[in-house]
Amino acid sequence: MHDRRTSKPEYGPTMLRALMGMGRASVDELMEETLRLMRSRLHPADFEALPGGVPRWRRQAEHMLWGLIEDGYVEESKGSLKLTR
């Protein structure tokens, strides 16, 4: 296993910027755009599959997304995400 990994907080600003550009998006669409924007900054360990086959970067980004929703930066309604601020 590789040592360097991208931490959850590092995904936040990129996810907000992606959602700002997209207006509204599903979780999958936001994850795809986040990956596109961050791919060059991610480490090999970020692409390792975790139990269940989910890549580490996706799990970290999803956890950050739920934090952004909980903190009121992003709103989820009927499967669609949008910025609230």
Side-chain angles (χ1 to χ4, degrees):
M1 184 180 278
H2 300 38
D3 293 325
R4 296 196 64 194
R5 301 176 191 158
T6 305
S7 67
K8 272 190 286 191
E10 293 177 74
Y11 291 94
T14 302
M15 292 173 65
L16 293 173
R17 190 175 81 223
L19 197 51
M20 184 181 300
M22 300 170 82
R24 287 186 171 271
S26 68
V27 171
D28 285 339
E29 291 167 338
L30 179 58
M31 292 299 125
E32 287 174 24
E33 183 64 6
T34 299
L35 177 60
R36 187 185 73 75
L37 293 171
M38 292 188 72
R39 185 177 289 278
S40 66
R41 297 191 321 247
L42 296 178
H43 304 285
D46 294 321
F47 294 97
E48 293 175 355
L50 298 176
V54 177
R56 182 181 309 282
W57 76 264
R58 171 90 184 213
R59 179 79 45 84
Q60 292 285 79
E62 287 176 349
H63 282 234
M64 188 66 224
L65 173 60
W66 305 137
L68 292 171
I69 291 170
E70 188 174 289
D71 291 344
Y73 291 99
V74 175
E75 177 183 297
E76 181 184 28
S77 177
K78 300 177 185 174
S80 182
L81 303 167
K82 71 175 188 172
L83 293 177
T84 58
R85 302 179 189 192

